[in-house]
Every structure is written in structure tokens, then in C-alpha cells.
Amino acid sequence: MLQRQTAVFCRYPGIIQRCLRRMSDRKDSRSKQWNLQPTTTARNTFNAIRAIIDTSTAKPNPEYETIKLAAGDPAVYPGFEPPSSALEAIRESVNSEKFCGYQPAHGNATARKAVAELYSTPTQSLSSDDVLLTCGCNGALDICFRGLANPGDNILIPSPGFIIYTTMLDSYGIGFKEYRLLPEQNWDVDLYHLESLFDSKTKAIVVNCPSNPCGSVYTKEHKLEIIKLAAKHCVPIIADEVYGGMVFADIEYKSFGALSTDVPILSCGSLAKRYLVPGWRLGWIVLYDSVTALSSEVRESLVRMCQVILGPCAVIQGAVPKILKETPTEFFQAINRKLGENAILVFDRLSKVPGLTPIMPRGSMYTLVGIDQKQHAGFKDDYDFTERLYSEMSVRCIPGKAFRAPGFFRIVLCASQAKLIEACDRLSEFCARHCTSL
Ligand SMILES: *Cc1c(COP(=O)(O)O)cnc(C)c1O
């Protein structure tokens, strides 16, 4: 090797000179002072919710006990404790001492198999090869976005929608176009608008059902219409189904993967919201692809991306099979029932408040409430509304603009009934006081 290099240098003495020159250039051009600046990537990474919460200067009114309805983290609300199956599974995983080492980059095969079994459908039987484990659902979305789109391509995302979509896409220089959801139609997708957005650089559609922040759950027929559009344009669907199955009353829930026969679905999910353990950071991508549109190269490229960070914590991976197999249906039913009752309670009470238009949610753990501009002309926007609501009534909600839903605010339905009733009473008093056309 050394001999060959020497030979090259002797044959091309210019190379040596050039190398030496470059080294001395580099020495000169280096500044002698610290000059650390945020990178372009860092500058382009921006979480609108954090920005809004961090810039808020409002202080709660000391006359009232604070009611927090902002955090999209079920673990902070009493009554939303994880199932004992999950806690036991973690203890067993630690005690087994088997999960200290590196796991395969896209996840332990037994854990992947358990996810595959849970998400197999009567028509699509999945294997562990159809599953990649990731660091939460966000990790799954991250790999799907970068795995399907290059910088300069675009992905269609819902508006209103989960804020991390734009945070990630901006950070990677991947474009996005927002398709409208229609509040007057229970936040269904405006299909005409969606269709008008496709272009030659569109690489995926993101759908989120049940939805954060809307609380909407599409009917089977509506999902089939979305799938039909995707098929027409040959664009895969990234289904954010982190709230999959979290639906109220006897609303039917079918995942996109269970409905699609001709469009590949990359279904992103996690333990976070269904098992009430967002801090455990265990998520997955489930690949439904009955038409084998995802080539083996694409599948391998997704696995290669997992090889950088090496997946979620091994101890949690070790617990996955037990968590998925042994959490009783009653656990989910009880959570859904509680959220459904809270949804009705909030909807009924806020429907009577002047200038507020709640939209009845059908799933997830959120509801968006509209603020009537005419009746609440005294507020500059939804941010002003939530800031003053906090400083006057000590009720904390997130303004819609954090989700690209200006004119709305979001309520998290995990608080206790007593807290929700108190919050609705305070909202009522607040709105009556500020309403401009009573
Ligand atoms: C909470 C949430 C996620 C993130 O899930 P993690 O598993 O905590 O990463 C993704 N999408 C939506 C819509 C969410 O609300």
C-alpha cells in the first residue's frame, strides 16, 4: 500500500505539492477564536408547540387552582396509569438479564414477530420482516419520511395536524403541502383539495387517524376514498396510527393497512398512547404491501437507516411480546370509555358557551374547540385567547395555531371529570365576560 502511494506521488509530484498547499491553506483559514454557530439543519429544526409554550409569558391567576389541559402526554393525568402487564413485562425483561446487548438494528426478532402478529389482518398476514422497531412513533415517521423522500421532494400532510411532521420535514429540507381537513364535516379530508396537491415530486401522503389534534376518526368509506386517490397517483401512504383503536362508544375502527388492497401502507405506531407509556420510546413501522410496490431495495434502505441509531432500548424491546400479548382488552375498553365520556361532557358543556364551537371528537384524546371571531372580537387570535384564559382563569390549553388550526384551541380529554367540569365552568364565565355580541 505504502509502496503504491509512493509510486503515485513519484509519478505525479504535483499531487504532493497540492496536498501541502491545501494543508497550509487550511491552517491559515482556521480562526483562532471559538466561533460556534448553529448549523443549517439546527436552524431549520423548529417545534412550533415548544416555541409557543416557551414564548408564553402568561401566569396563572393565583385565585384559581391551575387546570392543565395542554400536555398530550397521558402519563401526567391521574387515572391513566399503564397496564400492569406492561410494568411486569419490564421487570421481567430486566430480571432476565438477556437484554443488555445490542439488538438487531431494526429490532429484536421476537418483538417484531409480536408486532407482526398483532397487526396481521385476515387478508394480509405479516411476518417479522414487515416490522421495524423504532424510537417511538416519531422515530418511525422520521425513517418513513427520509426513506421515501429526498430533499426537494414533497409529502402531503394534514392541516390541522401533528406539529412534528413539519418540524422533521423542514429539518431535512423535504417539502410538504398541507391538505385541508374540514371542521364542518367532522374534520374529514377535503378530497378535492388533496387531489389538487399531487405533483411529480409527491412521494407520500401522511394520514393521521384517530387524529391529534382533531379527535376525528374517518369512516371505512372515507379511508377507502383516500386510498383510491393514492392508488390513482401511485403514492404510498404513511399512516400515523399511534392512536389506532382509541375510538369512543361503538365507533368502528379499521386501520389503513387492513383496508388497502393496492396501495402500500407504512403504518407508524408505538406503545406511547395506547399503553400510556410515551416515555418508553418504543415504536414501529408496519409495512403492508400486498402489491409489492416496496422493492427489496426500499425495504433494505429502511433497515439501513435503523443501523445508525440502532433502535429502541433493548430492555423495552424484551418486554414487547408480553405487553402486546397480555394486556387485556378490558384495559383498552376502560380507557376508551373514560375518554368517550369526557368527550361528551366537554362537548355538551361547551356547546352552551357563547362564541365557542366544540366539534364532537370520535377518538384519540383530544378535541378542538372553535372560537367565534365575531362574538370574540376582543381577542387578537387563538393565542391571545388561550393566554388570557390562563392568566384570568388558570386553565391551560394549546392554541390551534400550534397545529395549523388558527381560530381553535385544543383540549386534552385525559383530565378527571371534576377538573373538566370546572374548566368548562371557567371557560363559560370567561367567554360570557369577553363576548362582544351578547
Ligand atoms: C404522540 C404522537 C406521536 C409520537 O409518538 P411517540 O411514540 O411518543 O414518538 C406521533 N404522532 C402523533 C399524532 C402523536 O400524537
Short mmCIF file of all heavy atoms in Angstrom, two decimals, residues 72 135-141 161-165 208 210-213 240-243 268-273 277-279 281-283 365-366 410, ligand 1:
data_model
loop_
_atom_site.label_atom_id
_atom_site.label_comp_id
_atom_site.label_asym_id
_atom_site.label_seq_id
_atom_site.Cartn_x
_atom_site.Cartn_y
_atom_site.Cartn_z
N GLY A 72 -50.05 16.64 25.77
CA GLY A 72 -50.50 15.45 25.05
C GLY A 72 -49.79 14.22 25.57
O GLY A 72 -49.37 13.36 24.79
N CYS A 135 -37.49 4.32 17.63
CA CYS A 135 -37.58 5.08 18.88
C CYS A 135 -38.89 5.86 18.86
O CYS A 135 -38.95 7.00 18.40
CB CYS A 135 -36.40 6.02 19.02
SG CYS A 135 -34.86 5.12 19.15
N GLY A 136 -39.94 5.24 19.33
CA GLY A 136 -41.26 5.88 19.36
C GLY A 136 -41.85 5.99 17.96
O GLY A 136 -41.22 5.64 16.96
N CYS A 137 -43.08 6.50 17.92
CA CYS A 137 -43.73 6.71 16.63
C CYS A 137 -43.01 7.82 15.87
O CYS A 137 -42.92 7.79 14.64
CB CYS A 137 -45.19 7.06 16.86
SG CYS A 137 -46.13 7.25 15.35
N ASN A 138 -42.46 8.78 16.60
CA ASN A 138 -41.69 9.82 15.92
C ASN A 138 -40.50 9.23 15.17
O ASN A 138 -40.19 9.64 14.05
CB ASN A 138 -41.20 10.87 16.92
CG ASN A 138 -42.31 11.82 17.34
OD1 ASN A 138 -43.40 11.81 16.76
ND2 ASN A 138 -42.05 12.63 18.35
N GLY A 139 -39.84 8.27 15.78
CA GLY A 139 -38.72 7.60 15.11
C GLY A 139 -39.20 6.89 13.85
O GLY A 139 -38.49 6.86 12.83
N ALA A 140 -40.40 6.33 13.91
CA ALA A 140 -40.97 5.64 12.75
C ALA A 140 -41.24 6.64 11.62
O ALA A 140 -40.88 6.40 10.46
CB ALA A 140 -42.26 4.93 13.15
N LEU A 141 -41.84 7.77 11.98
CA LEU A 141 -42.15 8.80 10.98
C LEU A 141 -40.86 9.32 10.33
O LEU A 141 -40.77 9.48 9.12
CB LEU A 141 -42.89 9.97 11.64
CG LEU A 141 -44.30 9.66 12.16
CD1 LEU A 141 -44.77 10.76 13.11
CD2 LEU A 141 -45.28 9.50 11.00
N GLY A 161 -52.80 19.48 11.88
CA GLY A 161 -52.09 18.23 12.06
C GLY A 161 -51.03 18.31 13.13
O GLY A 161 -50.72 19.39 13.66
N PHE A 162 -50.49 17.14 13.41
CA PHE A 162 -49.44 16.98 14.42
C PHE A 162 -48.21 17.79 13.99
O PHE A 162 -47.80 17.75 12.83
CB PHE A 162 -49.10 15.49 14.50
CG PHE A 162 -48.12 15.10 15.56
CD1 PHE A 162 -48.28 15.49 16.86
CD2 PHE A 162 -47.04 14.28 15.23
CE1 PHE A 162 -47.37 15.09 17.84
CE2 PHE A 162 -46.14 13.87 16.20
CZ PHE A 162 -46.30 14.28 17.51
N ILE A 163 -47.65 18.52 14.93
CA ILE A 163 -46.65 19.51 14.57
C ILE A 163 -45.31 18.90 14.13
O ILE A 163 -44.58 19.49 13.35
CB ILE A 163 -46.47 20.51 15.74
CG1 ILE A 163 -46.12 21.87 15.18
CG2 ILE A 163 -45.45 20.06 16.74
CD1 ILE A 163 -47.22 22.46 14.35
N ILE A 164 -45.02 17.70 14.64
CA ILE A 164 -43.71 17.12 14.34
C ILE A 164 -43.51 16.83 12.84
O ILE A 164 -42.38 16.77 12.36
CB ILE A 164 -43.50 15.84 15.19
CG1 ILE A 164 -43.46 16.20 16.68
CG2 ILE A 164 -42.25 15.08 14.82
CD1 ILE A 164 -42.31 17.08 17.10
N TYR A 165 -44.62 16.67 12.10
CA TYR A 165 -44.46 16.43 10.65
C TYR A 165 -43.66 17.56 10.01
O TYR A 165 -42.69 17.34 9.31
CB TYR A 165 -45.81 16.33 9.93
CG TYR A 165 -46.78 15.30 10.48
CD1 TYR A 165 -48.16 15.52 10.40
CD2 TYR A 165 -46.34 14.12 11.05
CE1 TYR A 165 -49.07 14.60 10.89
CE2 TYR A 165 -47.25 13.19 11.55
CZ TYR A 165 -48.61 13.44 11.47
OH TYR A 165 -49.51 12.53 11.97
N ASN A 208 -53.47 10.71 9.52
CA ASN A 208 -53.39 10.52 10.97
C ASN A 208 -54.80 10.26 11.49
O ASN A 208 -55.61 11.17 11.56
CB ASN A 208 -52.77 11.77 11.61
CG ASN A 208 -52.78 11.74 13.13
OD1 ASN A 208 -52.98 12.76 13.78
ND2 ASN A 208 -52.57 10.58 13.72
N PRO A 210 -56.94 7.71 14.45
CA PRO A 210 -57.56 8.92 15.00
C PRO A 210 -56.56 10.08 15.07
O PRO A 210 -55.36 9.85 15.17
CB PRO A 210 -57.98 8.47 16.41
CG PRO A 210 -58.14 6.98 16.32
CD PRO A 210 -57.10 6.54 15.35
N SER A 211 -57.12 11.28 15.02
CA SER A 211 -56.26 12.45 14.80
C SER A 211 -55.90 13.21 16.07
O SER A 211 -56.72 13.43 16.95
CB SER A 211 -56.98 13.40 13.84
OG SER A 211 -56.50 14.73 13.99
N ASN A 212 -54.67 13.63 16.11
CA ASN A 212 -54.20 14.67 17.01
C ASN A 212 -53.96 15.89 16.12
O ASN A 212 -53.14 15.78 15.20
CB ASN A 212 -52.89 14.24 17.68
CG ASN A 212 -52.29 15.31 18.56
OD1 ASN A 212 -52.91 16.32 18.83
ND2 ASN A 212 -51.06 15.10 18.99
N PRO A 213 -54.60 16.99 16.27
CA PRO A 213 -55.39 17.44 17.42
C PRO A 213 -56.91 17.31 17.25
O PRO A 213 -57.63 17.72 18.15
CB PRO A 213 -55.03 18.92 17.45
CG PRO A 213 -54.97 19.30 15.99
CD PRO A 213 -54.39 18.09 15.31
N ASP A 240 -50.07 7.51 10.26
CA ASP A 240 -49.72 7.72 11.67
C ASP A 240 -50.90 7.18 12.49
O ASP A 240 -51.92 7.84 12.64
CB ASP A 240 -49.47 9.20 11.93
CG ASP A 240 -49.08 9.48 13.38
OD1 ASP A 240 -49.28 8.60 14.24
OD2 ASP A 240 -48.58 10.60 13.65
N GLU A 241 -50.73 5.95 12.96
CA GLU A 241 -51.81 5.27 13.68
C GLU A 241 -51.44 5.05 15.14
O GLU A 241 -51.75 4.03 15.75
CB GLU A 241 -52.17 3.97 12.95
CG GLU A 241 -52.68 4.27 11.54
CD GLU A 241 -53.13 3.07 10.72
OE1 GLU A 241 -52.41 2.05 10.74
OE2 GLU A 241 -54.19 3.15 10.07
N VAL A 242 -50.76 6.07 15.69
CA VAL A 242 -50.33 5.98 17.08
C VAL A 242 -51.53 5.91 18.02
O VAL A 242 -51.43 5.38 19.13
CB VAL A 242 -49.35 7.15 17.41
CG1 VAL A 242 -50.07 8.47 17.56
CG2 VAL A 242 -48.50 6.85 18.62
N TYR A 243 -52.70 6.41 17.56
CA TYR A 243 -53.94 6.28 18.35
C TYR A 243 -54.85 5.18 17.81
O TYR A 243 -56.05 5.18 18.09
CB TYR A 243 -54.70 7.61 18.37
CG TYR A 243 -53.91 8.74 18.99
CD1 TYR A 243 -53.22 9.65 18.20
CD2 TYR A 243 -53.82 8.86 20.37
CE1 TYR A 243 -52.46 10.67 18.76
CE2 TYR A 243 -53.07 9.87 20.94
CZ TYR A 243 -52.39 10.77 20.14
OH TYR A 243 -51.64 11.77 20.70
N CYS A 268 -47.33 3.66 11.10
CA CYS A 268 -46.44 4.03 12.21
C CYS A 268 -47.23 3.99 13.51
O CYS A 268 -48.33 4.54 13.58
CB CYS A 268 -45.89 5.43 11.99
SG CYS A 268 -44.93 5.57 10.48
N GLY A 269 -46.68 3.33 14.50
CA GLY A 269 -47.37 3.25 15.78
C GLY A 269 -46.36 3.18 16.91
O GLY A 269 -45.14 3.26 16.68
N SER A 270 -46.87 3.04 18.12
CA SER A 270 -45.96 2.91 19.25
C SER A 270 -46.73 2.47 20.49
O SER A 270 -47.96 2.39 20.48
CB SER A 270 -45.24 4.24 19.54
OG SER A 270 -46.09 5.13 20.23
N LEU A 271 -45.99 2.20 21.55
CA LEU A 271 -46.63 1.87 22.83
C LEU A 271 -47.18 3.13 23.49
O LEU A 271 -48.01 3.05 24.39
CB LEU A 271 -45.59 1.25 23.78
CG LEU A 271 -44.97 -0.10 23.44
CD1 LEU A 271 -43.95 -0.47 24.52
CD2 LEU A 271 -46.03 -1.20 23.33
N ALA A 272 -46.71 4.31 23.05
CA ALA A 272 -46.88 5.55 23.81
C ALA A 272 -48.30 5.82 24.26
O ALA A 272 -48.56 5.97 25.46
CB ALA A 272 -46.36 6.73 22.98
N LYS A 273 -49.23 5.92 23.33
CA LYS A 273 -50.55 6.43 23.68
C LYS A 273 -51.50 5.30 24.07
O LYS A 273 -52.31 5.46 24.97
CB LYS A 273 -51.11 7.26 22.51
CG LYS A 273 -50.16 8.32 21.95
CD LYS A 273 -49.86 9.41 22.95
CE LYS A 273 -48.92 10.53 22.52
NZ LYS A 273 -48.64 10.83 21.16
N VAL A 277 -47.48 4.82 27.89
CA VAL A 277 -46.07 4.87 28.32
C VAL A 277 -45.21 5.61 27.29
O VAL A 277 -44.23 5.07 26.78
CB VAL A 277 -45.50 3.44 28.54
CG1 VAL A 277 -46.09 2.81 29.79
CG2 VAL A 277 -45.75 2.53 27.33
N PRO A 278 -45.52 6.90 27.03
CA PRO A 278 -44.76 7.60 25.99
C PRO A 278 -43.26 7.69 26.28
O PRO A 278 -42.45 7.74 25.36
CB PRO A 278 -45.41 8.99 25.94
CG PRO A 278 -46.25 9.10 27.17
CD PRO A 278 -46.61 7.72 27.59
N GLY A 279 -42.92 7.66 27.56
CA GLY A 279 -41.50 7.77 27.90
C GLY A 279 -40.68 6.54 27.55
O GLY A 279 -39.45 6.60 27.58
N ARG A 281 -40.44 5.12 24.70
CA ARG A 281 -39.86 5.35 23.37
C ARG A 281 -39.76 4.08 22.53
O ARG A 281 -38.72 3.78 21.96
CB ARG A 281 -38.48 6.03 23.47
CG ARG A 281 -38.36 7.23 24.35
CD ARG A 281 -39.38 8.31 24.08
NE ARG A 281 -39.43 8.79 22.73
CZ ARG A 281 -40.59 8.99 22.05
NH1 ARG A 281 -41.77 8.73 22.60
NH2 ARG A 281 -40.54 9.42 20.83
N LEU A 282 -40.82 3.32 22.51
CA LEU A 282 -40.81 2.16 21.62
C LEU A 282 -41.91 2.28 20.57
O LEU A 282 -43.09 2.33 20.89
CB LEU A 282 -40.97 0.85 22.40
CG LEU A 282 -40.68 -0.31 21.43
CD1 LEU A 282 -39.69 -1.29 21.96
CD2 LEU A 282 -41.95 -0.96 20.92
N GLY A 283 -41.48 2.35 19.32
CA GLY A 283 -42.43 2.47 18.21
C GLY A 283 -42.12 1.48 17.12
O GLY A 283 -41.19 0.66 17.25
N MET A 365 -57.35 11.48 22.05
CA MET A 365 -57.62 12.00 23.40
C MET A 365 -57.74 13.52 23.39
O MET A 365 -57.45 14.18 24.39
CB MET A 365 -56.53 11.52 24.38
CG MET A 365 -55.13 11.52 23.80
SD MET A 365 -53.96 10.73 24.89
CE MET A 365 -52.82 12.12 25.02
N TYR A 366 -58.18 14.04 22.23
CA TYR A 366 -58.23 15.49 22.07
C TYR A 366 -59.55 15.95 21.49
O TYR A 366 -60.26 15.19 20.85
CB TYR A 366 -57.13 15.95 21.11
CG TYR A 366 -55.79 15.38 21.41
CD1 TYR A 366 -55.30 14.28 20.69
CD2 TYR A 366 -55.01 15.90 22.44
CE1 TYR A 366 -54.05 13.73 20.99
CE2 TYR A 366 -53.77 15.36 22.73
CZ TYR A 366 -53.30 14.28 22.01
OH TYR A 366 -52.08 13.74 22.30
N ARG A 410 -57.07 23.55 21.59
CA ARG A 410 -57.15 22.11 21.82
C ARG A 410 -57.30 21.80 23.31
O ARG A 410 -56.63 22.41 24.14
CB ARG A 410 -55.88 21.41 21.30
CG ARG A 410 -56.00 19.89 21.31
CD ARG A 410 -54.67 19.20 20.97
NE ARG A 410 -53.74 19.26 22.11
CZ ARG A 410 -52.59 18.59 22.18
NH1 ARG A 410 -52.20 17.84 21.15
NH2 ARG A 410 -51.80 18.70 23.24
C1 LIG B 1 -47.80 11.45 20.37
C2 LIG B 1 -47.81 11.37 18.89
C3 LIG B 1 -46.74 10.80 18.18
C4 LIG B 1 -45.44 10.41 18.85
O1 LIG B 1 -45.47 9.18 19.44
P1 LIG B 1 -44.17 8.66 20.24
O2 LIG B 1 -44.34 7.19 20.26
O3 LIG B 1 -44.20 9.28 21.59
O4 LIG B 1 -42.98 9.08 19.45
C5 LIG B 1 -46.84 10.70 16.81
N1 LIG B 1 -47.93 11.12 16.16
C6 LIG B 1 -48.98 11.69 16.79
C7 LIG B 1 -50.15 12.13 16.02
C8 LIG B 1 -48.93 11.85 18.18
O5 LIG B 1 -49.94 12.46 18.81
#
